[in-house]
């Protein structure tokens, strides 16, 4: 059990924790959430013993092993598999001691302990974790120095997962992972045998893994049961309850004050008035939950452009005359919302650079609309910001022909106030830098925005704001992200970058998950001596072909259902706003025609919503029948 008791910690003149208390029972999987800058990473460092609290205590049971992913990625000539195996220091130490031990009793103890910790299965377990994080058997045998920093951080994560500490501390574990590895990690953590405390802004991960959510806000820790969605519902209920209590108390105060004002100086009522004065003085104000402001931002809508915006015919693209992708035959229309799927290293960023004119095709033809404007957000673009100039000066560099008033107005679309634009880039948070880059990217009002991992430094509220901005944008969107929640809410078409090309994926994110599971199962079977069996290989090909045919058959139905769900959500929101208008007494001070118009509109929305719900039910039943028919 992890116990945090009355924790106090100050940093840089700020009080990050003020009498914060929480208890995390053994075996619980806990999400630590809160806005950027509230101190989540600091709390992990306090628990790990890297920092000392100014007050209170953090207690764990004796011998409790706490695991933190190393900041320094493993390097050198050691193979990936050996680097992960070395993370289990007990096993490594016992094996080293066994080579030099001479005492028969000690040798027996060593081998008994090695059997207890299942040391003989360690290479297989380490290889399984590395495979899940994207390293095939050939990569696992290569030295760590062959890999980039991001891939070596995956090895560090693999080592920590392999060592299975009693308390696993994870700080943004999906930051260096692609979508495929993120999905694997989600499944792995759900079955982790010990306690987990993790910080993440990946909403799907926060819903799939945690049994408990701890919210860090204003220096306090509040515990909620379940994942992020359950936390949001509980917190919203608390906000509504506090608002109702404040309203009732304000009414009670007004009633008491009214009595006091009327009868304070009247002899027959003076005693009752004094009694109410004391009651008013003792009435403690209800402290509401303070909701911090989340910057909202939006992309400027472009002028209309005739389809297609872009077409690719038999295109190859790569570097130094070496193709990374071939046989590209693709089309983008003005209303497209496309997400690129595929493991890191398959060429997703290469494709988006080609489409954004950052790379020239090696062969084939790319045709673009004559007036096409493209906005491109690169995942490592923050490194190009000049740190010792202000946000406004950075914008002036890329918008030299625009007057300051328009530059400030454009930055304001992305949450930069009149004061905040004077902040030096070096003092911006990761999320603010991302918002600045989004603002600079959209300065020419693009017809299509291309986003390569735009959420890496955004907290959950900022990710929600980005989702709303993308969905409100009138142009086309091309998206690369390891956040399934973002993809599922923003994309209505999926392209799969795989095996040296890119093709339309006929299915949704659930279909893609099933495809990854099937591939992992196939790869696992191939590693068990079945690789040479022609019958098995043919059977698998038949299964994959049947699955692809099924996805292609039901894809139009799924797209129709998604479109209906979006329209139903819009109508439901419109109905809610009309109901607010109808509940406002000010409406009935207007003309009868105005009241009648609002009531007619309400009826029309209700009728359209009922028709769409009926259509949605029919489409859903049709989809269910198609899926079950395939199974049969």
């Amino acid at each position: 059990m992890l116990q945090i008791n009355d924790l106090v910690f100050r940093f840089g003149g700020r009080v990050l924790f003020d009498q914060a208390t929480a208890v995390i029972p053994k075996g619980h999987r806990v999400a630590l959430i809160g806005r950027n800058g509230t101190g989540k990473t600091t709390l992990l460092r306090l628990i790990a013993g890297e920092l000392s609290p100014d007050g209170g205590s953090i207690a764990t049971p004796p011998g409790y092993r706490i695991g933190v992913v190393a900041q320094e990625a493993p390097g050198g000539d050691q193979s990936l598999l050996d680097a992960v195996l070395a993370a289990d220091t007990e096993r490594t130490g016992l094996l080293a001691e066994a080579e030099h031990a001479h005492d028969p009793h000690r040798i027996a103890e060593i081998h008994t302990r090695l059997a207890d910790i299942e040391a003989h299965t360690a290479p297989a377990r380490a290889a399984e974790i590395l495979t899940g994080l994207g390293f095939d058997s050939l990569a696992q045998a290569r030295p760590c120095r062959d890999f980039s920093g991001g891939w070596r951080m995956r090895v560090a994560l693999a080592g920590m997962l392999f060592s299975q500490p009693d308390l696993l501390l994870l700080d943004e574990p999906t930051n260096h992972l692609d979508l495929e590895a993120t999905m694997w990690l989600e499944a792995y953590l759900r079955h982790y045998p010990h306690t987990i405390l993790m910080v993440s802004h990946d909403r799907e991960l926060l819903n799939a893994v945690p049994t408990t959510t701890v919210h860090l806000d204003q220096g306090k820790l509040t515990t909620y049961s379940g994942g992020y969605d359950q936390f949001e519902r509980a917190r919203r209920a608390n906000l509504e309850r506090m608002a109702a209590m404040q309203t009732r108390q304000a009414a009670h105060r007004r009633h008491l004050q009214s009595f006091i004002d009327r009868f304070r100086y009247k002899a027959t009522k003076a005693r009752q008035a004094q009694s109410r004065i004391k009651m008013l003085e003792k009435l403690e104000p209800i402290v509401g939950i303070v909701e911090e402001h989340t910057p909202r931002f939006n992309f400027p809508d472009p002028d209309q452009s005739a389809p297609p915006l872009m077409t690719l015919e038999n295109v190859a693209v790569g570097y130094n005359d070496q193709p990374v992708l071939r046989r590209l035959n693709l089309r983008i229309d003005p209303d497209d919302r496309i997400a690129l799927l595929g493991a890191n290293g398959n060429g997703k960023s290469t494709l988006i650079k080609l489409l954004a004119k950052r790379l020239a095709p090696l062969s084939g033809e790319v045709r673009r609309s004559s007036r096409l404007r493209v906005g491109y957000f690169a995942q490592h673009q923050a490194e190009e910001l000049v740190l010792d100039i202000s946000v406004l000066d950075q914008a002036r560099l890329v918008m030299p022909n625009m007057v300051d008033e328009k530059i400030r107005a454009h930055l304001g679309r992305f949450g930069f106030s009149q004061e905040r634009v004077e902040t030096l880039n070096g003092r911006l948070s990761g999320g603010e830098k991302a918002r600045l880059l989004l603002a600079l990217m959209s300065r020419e009002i693009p017809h299509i925005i291309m986003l390569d991992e735009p959420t890496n430094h955004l907290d959950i509220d900022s990710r929600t704001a980005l989702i709303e901005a993308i969905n409100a944008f009138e142009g086309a969107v091309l998206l690369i992200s390891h956040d399934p929640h973002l993809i599922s809410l923003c994309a209505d078409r999926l392209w799969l970058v795989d095996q040296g090309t890119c093709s339309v994926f006929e299915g949704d994110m659930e279909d893609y998950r099933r495809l990854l599971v099937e591939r992992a199962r196939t790869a696992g079977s191939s590693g068990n001596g079945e690789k040479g069996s022609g019958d098995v290989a043919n059977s698998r090909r038949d299964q994959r072909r049947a699955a692809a045919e099924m996805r292609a058959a039901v894809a139009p139905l799924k797209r129709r259902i998604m479109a209906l769900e979006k329209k139903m959500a819009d109508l439901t929101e419109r109905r809610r706003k009309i109901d607010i208008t109808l509940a406002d007494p000010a409406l009935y001070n207007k003309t009868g025609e105005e009241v009648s118009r609002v009531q007619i509109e309400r009826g029309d929305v209700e009728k359209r919503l009922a028709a769409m719900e009926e259509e949605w039910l029919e489409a859903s039943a049709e989809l269910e029948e198609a899926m079950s028919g395939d199974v049969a």
Side-chain angles (χ1 to χ4, degrees), residues 337-447:
R337 295 287 195 275
I338 301 166
L340 299 185
L341 306 178
N344 278 4
N346 280 7
K348 298 191 299 294
S349 293
T350 300
L351 175 57
I352 209 170
K353 286 176 184 176
L354 168 71
L355 298 174
K357 296 185 76 170
R358 302 298 176 96
L359 277 178
L362 299 178
S363 62
E365 185 178 6
V366 179
R367 289 198 297 271
R368 295 178 172 86
S369 172
S370 59
R371 298 184 300 113
L372 179 64
R373 296 184 300 274
V374 173
Y376 172 54
F377 178 98
Q379 59 177 313
H380 301 300
Q381 206 170 346
E383 298 166 6
E384 299 175 13
L385 294 175
V386 183
L387 299 183
D388 57 355
I389 67 173
S390 70
V391 170
L392 182 59
D393 287 336
Q394 182 78 50
R396 285 171 177 152
L397 289 177
V398 298
M399 294 183 264
N401 299 321
M402 192 178 289
V403 297
D404 272 10
E405 288 75 11
K406 288 192 174 181
I407 293 176
R408 287 176 179 273
H410 183 69
L411 292 171
R413 283 177 168 268
F414 293 83
F416 290 98
S417 64
Q418 293 295 317
E419 298 76 24
R420 199 62 183 160
V421 297
E422 305 294 343
T423 306
L424 296 181
N425 290 336
R427 295 183 180 176
L428 297 177
S429 67
E432 287 175 318
K433 287 178 181 175
R435 285 194 282 113
L436 173 57
L437 292 169
L438 289 168
L440 300 180
M441 174 207 73
S442 61
R443 64 188 181 275
E444 294 182 349
I445 313 182
H447 296 96

Side-chain angles (χ1 to χ4, degrees), residues 504-508 511 544-561 619 622-630:
V504 174
F505 181 78
E506 296 290 358
D508 57 16
D511 293 317
R544 285 196 294 271
R545 187 181 299 111
E549 290 171 355
M550 186 272 288
R551 287 197 301 271
V554 301
L557 266 177
K558 289 187 175 182
R559 285 197 292 271
R560 179 180 158 204
I561 289 170
E622 195 176 338
L623 175 63
E624 187 176 344
E625 184 178 347
M627 298 285 284
S628 62
D630 179 78

Side-chain angles (χ1 to χ4, degrees), residues 4 13 27-28 35 64 130 161 168 181 219 223 228 250 267 277 356 364 374 390 479 515 535 553-554 559 610 614:
I4 302 170
H28 279 224
R35 291 281 177 85
Y64 207 60
L130 282 169
L161 296 176
L168 178 61
T223 301
Y228 188 83
I277 290 172
V374 173
S390 70
L479 175 68
L515 174 65
D535 291 341
V554 301
R559 285 197 292 271
E614 188 67 30

Side-chain angles (χ1 to χ4, degrees), residues 154-375:
R154 292 195 190 200
V155 179
L157 174 61
M160 187 48 57
L161 296 176
F162 172 71
S163 67
Q164 291 199 347
D166 300 308
L167 173 61
L168 178 61
L169 301 179
L170 297 173
D171 193 356
E172 296 292 357
T174 61
N175 262 7
H176 298 283
L177 304 183
D178 52 25
L179 186 59
E180 290 73 13
T182 296
M183 290 176 174
W184 176 87
L185 180 66
E186 175 188 304
Y188 183 89
L189 294 179
R190 275 204 304 269
H191 299 96
Y192 188 74
H194 306 301
T195 308
I196 299 173
L197 179 60
M198 68 175 180
V199 173
S200 178
H201 294 133
D202 185 328
R203 190 170 184 135
E204 295 237 343
L205 190 72
L206 293 176
N207 278 322
V209 175
T211 55
T212 306
T213 297
V214 174
H215 184 216
L216 172 55
D217 184 41
Q218 300 179 62
K220 304 291 187 185
L221 295 170
T222 307
T223 301
Y224 296 82
S225 177
Y228 188 83
D229 284 351
Q230 288 173 274
F231 152 76
E232 263 202 337
R233 286 192 292 271
R235 183 167 169 78
R236 194 179 303 117
N238 282 349
L239 286 169
E240 292 170 356
R241 181 174 56 82
M242 296 298 288
M245 290 173 64
Q246 285 177 321
T247 301
R248 286 197 298 271
Q249 189 185 72
H252 186 43
R253 280 180 173 276
R254 286 194 300 271
H255 178 72
L256 292 174
Q257 191 63 54
S258 175
F259 186 93
I260 293 166
D261 293 342
R262 286 178 60 198
F263 300 114
R264 187 171 192 170
Y265 302 107
K266 192 171 183 179
T268 57
K269 299 286 187 178
R271 183 171 293 177
Q272 288 116 315
Q274 286 299 317
S275 172
R276 282 164 174 75
I277 290 172
K278 291 178 182 177
M279 191 183 302
L280 194 60
E281 289 171 350
K282 291 180 180 179
L283 197 60
E284 290 287 336
I286 295 171
V287 180
I289 300 174
V290 179
E291 283 288 272
E292 294 182 40
H293 172 66
T294 300
R296 299 294 171 191
F297 50 91
N298 60 84
F299 300 108
D301 292 326
D303 53 303
Q304 294 298 313
S305 182
L309 294 179
M310 199 180 303
T311 56
L312 281 68
E313 291 186 2
N314 202 29
V315 171
V317 62
Y319 306 90
N320 301 321
D321 294 327
Q322 293 297 316
V324 174
L325 299 172
R326 297 181 177 87
R327 306 182 307 280
L328 297 175
N329 294 284
L330 303 166
R331 167 178 169 143
I332 302 176
D333 288 325
D335 59 348
D336 273 339
R337 295 287 195 275
I338 301 166
L340 299 185
L341 306 178
N344 278 4
N346 280 7
K348 298 191 299 294
S349 293
T350 300
L351 175 57
I352 209 170
K353 286 176 184 176
L354 168 71
L355 298 174
K357 296 185 76 170
R358 302 298 176 96
L359 277 178
L362 299 178
S363 62
E365 185 178 6
V366 179
R367 289 198 297 271
R368 295 178 172 86
S369 172
S370 59
R371 298 184 300 113
L372 179 64
R373 296 184 300 274
V374 173

